[in-house]
Amino acid sequence: MKTIRKALALVLALCIVLSLAACTTGSKDPDPTKAPDPTKAPDPSQSEPVNEPTGNDLTANLTLATYPVGKMTDETVVKGLIADFNAVYPNVKIELVYLDYTNGDQTVNGMIEANNAPDLIFEGPERLVANWGAKGYLVDLKDLLPAGTYDVTAGSCTNAAGAMYELPVCQTAHCMGINKDLFTQAGAMQYINEDTHTWKSTSDFLKAVEAVAAIHPNVGVVFCGGQGGDQGNRALVTNMYGGQYTNSDFTRYTANCAENVQALQALVDVNGIEFDPGIVGGDEINLFCNGTLAMATCWNVGAAKSDTQGKTASFEIFPMAFPTESGDPSLQGGIWGFGIFDNGDAAKVEAAKAFVKFMTEDEAQYKKIVEATGYWATRDVSGLYAGTEDEALMTEYGKLVPFMGPYYQITLGWPEARTAWWNALQRIGNGGDVQTELDAFVAEANAAAEAAEAG
């Protein structure tokens, strides 16, 4: 028996050896002294794993300057957005500079002059496209534009040469606000289409002002103490009789047209509206919210949601489009987004672009920053503001967004034109001839546009 068991063991051992030999036939280990055959594709099983770039590979110290667009100067909110970014890009440190509309431009200009411009900035096209972009300070961002961005919005952030100096994030329609309690008491709601938030006509708007003035002398103002909030008085003037502020390709100023002369003369003549050289848009909002004025031309959903403005009013604020004879209002749009300064450091530009892409490409993160601004998205996104405390208000004010008109604030010479505009309004308010003062405005603004065009 022992002999048989030994024989069987030898047979079994031989079978195992032969099986192993068969399994390894044609798959010899490569000769480590022999160079690989360059004509053959590499064996993936023999390749080293490729390390994909990650957030850890990006290192930079950036400065983000942001204007007060919604909660974009609220430190808790902005640092929360940065924390989201740093969870993926931990080695990109971002220092914050909070700006306001009183001296923010001077702050940024001072930083530029000191060769210390912010790497990232959050604002609108009139500053990013028509000012700092036109001066060659900003990076073209068209390669970062997310698919589905509205054409009119993207076009408003792009100059005539096709360079996109602002990556749009959010938008709104600037509008009027009226004290509905006073208008109802005066019988003036009859002049309004309440379902569409529009005036039945310009003549009905003037009738409404006269009706409210009979019970509340201070109906409204044409504020002209500076440029703050001037989207309101521009839209009021150009809408009333279908006037224009610039030509259609945004190269020259045309505000001295007959329609605007008629509008300004009507505002001079109507009882209840005064030209006030001592206030700007923010002051008008405060006077409206505390009940001194019965309407505001510098209004939007952001003011309506403000804890120090719309939420403090003791009356119902009803948002309105600007009055027109045609029934087709053209509202001034607000568009805000990111610009990137070219500070001569490619690594910083790369990191800044990564930040912009992070905030705008992924829908969940994009919704988060849009909701931080308190406005509407620049492309279709699902469920924006759904279930939030602002849902009803955003639905109501959202009825005005389709009335947004051309974004002419990218016309060259814009900073100088804004100053020339409120100076012209002051002269008109002091008794100056409307046509003469608008002609002077156009001459000054177009001189600035020509100078900017010449370089």
Side-chain angles (χ1 to χ4, degrees):
M1 290 294 292
K2 288 182 180 180
T3 303
I4 294 174
R5 281 198 290 268
K6 286 182 180 180
L8 289 172
L10 288 172
V11 171
L12 182 59
L14 181 61
C15 289
I16 292 171
V17 170
L18 291 172
S19 296
L20 290 171
C23 290
T24 57
T25 300
S27 60
K28 295 180 180 178
D29 290 335
D31 183 349
T33 64
K34 186 177 180 182
D37 185 346
T39 65
K40 293 183 178 180
D43 181 353
S45 66
Q46 302 295 324
S47 302
E48 291 293 325
V50 177
N51 292 321
E52 295 292 336
T54 67
N56 289 308
D57 298 323
L58 209 55
T59 301
N61 293 320
L62 305 179
T63 299
L64 164 63
T66 177
Y67 281 79
V69 181
K71 295 183 178 178
M72 288 301 289
T73 52
D74 182 317
E75 186 153 297
T76 300
V77 171
V78 179
K79 284 191 173 180
L81 294 170
I82 292 172
D84 293 340
F85 174 72
N86 284 148
V88 180
Y89 295 92
N91 297 321
V92 178
K93 308 303 179 185
I94 299 179
E95 180 182 348
L96 293 166
V97 174
Y98 298 121
L99 305 171
D100 58 39
Y101 289 115
T102 301
N103 56 22
D105 294 4
Q106 294 92 322
T107 299
V108 175
N109 288 334
M111 295 174 74
I112 293 171
E113 290 170 7
N115 295 317
N116 189 34
D119 303 290
L120 286 153
I121 188 163
F122 193 85
E123 214 334 62
E126 58 266 43
R127 289 178 173 84
L128 302 189
V129 178
N131 186 6
W132 296 312
K135 293 175 179 176
Y137 296 139
L138 300 182
V139 175
D140 185 354
L141 301 179
K142 61 178 174 287
D143 59 318
L144 301 185
L145 187 68
T149 300
Y150 302 135
D151 289 343
V152 66
T153 308
S156 299
C157 297
T158 307
N159 71 3
M164 176 172 282
Y165 291 127
E166 177 185 334
L167 201 289
V169 170
C170 65
Q171 60 185 20
T172 192
H174 295 297
C175 62
M176 300 180 69
I178 65 168
N179 181 329
K180 189 176 181 181
D181 297 356
L182 277 175
F183 271 69
T184 300
Q185 184 182 345
M189 291 302 292
Q190 65 178 304
Y191 303 116
I192 290 171
N193 300 308
E194 292 190 52
D195 55 337
T196 59
H197 295 258
T198 57
W199 302 92
K200 291 182 178 178
S201 67
T202 295
S203 55
D204 280 324
F205 162 72
L206 295 172
K207 290 175 185 177
V209 171
E210 293 276 4
V212 176
I215 66 168
H216 189 86
N218 302 310
V219 182
V221 295
V222 177
F223 52 87
C224 44
Q227 68 184 33
D230 57 2
Q231 72 277 355
N233 52 45
R234 292 196 312 268
L236 177 62
V237 170
T238 56
N239 270 274
M240 286 177 67
Y241 297 104
Q244 300 296 320
Y245 200 76
T246 71
N247 58 12
S248 59
D249 58 359
F250 313 133
T251 57
R252 292 294 182 270
Y253 296 87
T254 59
N256 59 340
C257 59
E259 295 85 353
N260 291 345
V261 172
Q262 183 181 5
L264 278 163
Q265 191 61 59
L267 293 170
V268 169
D269 294 341
V270 70
N271 184 35
I273 293 180
E274 300 293 335
F275 283 65
D276 193 332
I279 67 172
V280 294
D283 303 313
E284 184 215 43
I285 289 174
N286 293 332
L287 291 169
F288 171 61
C289 291
N290 70 23
T292 301
L293 297 175
M295 69 181 190
T297 57
C298 182
W299 194 251
N300 61 33
V301 72
K305 291 189 291 188
S306 170
D307 291 332
T308 60
Q309 294 171 345
K311 287 185 178 179
T312 65
S314 60
F315 53 87
E316 181 181 351
I317 297 173
F318 193 75
M320 289 292 299
F322 287 89
T324 66
E325 282 292 272
S326 66
D328 185 23
S330 179
L331 303 188
Q332 281 285 272
I335 301 172
W336 296 275
F338 288 108
I340 296 177
F341 278 89
D342 186 355
N343 289 321
D345 188 327
K348 283 194 169 191
V349 170
E350 181 186 6
K353 283 188 171 184
F355 181 81
V356 173
K357 289 181 67 175
F358 179 86
M359 291 296 162
T360 57
E361 286 193 345
D362 175 73
E363 183 168 303
Q365 188 67 37
Y366 176 58
K367 285 169 64 174
K368 193 170 182 179
I369 191 170
V370 172
E371 290 183 0
T373 69
Y375 295 124
W376 287 270
T378 55
R379 64 180 190 263
D380 289 336
V381 295
S382 60
L384 193 64
Y385 297 106
T388 70
E389 64 175 348
D390 293 330
E391 183 176 8
L393 194 68
M394 296 302 291
T395 299
E396 180 183 25
Y397 278 76
K399 295 176 182 178
L400 297 169
V401 175
F403 294 132
M404 281 177 60
Y407 200 97
Y408 55 71
Q409 296 97 303
I410 57 174
T411 306
L412 291 178
W414 184 252
E416 295 83 0
R418 295 185 79 183
T419 300
W421 175 248
W422 58 261
N423 282 331
L425 293 180
Q426 284 190 5
R427 296 192 298 269
I428 291 169
N430 286 329
D433 177 73
V434 176
Q435 184 70 68
T436 300
E437 300 306 342
L438 286 184
D439 287 345
F441 159 74
V442 165
E444 186 175 348
N446 281 336
E450 291 164 8
E453 193 173 60

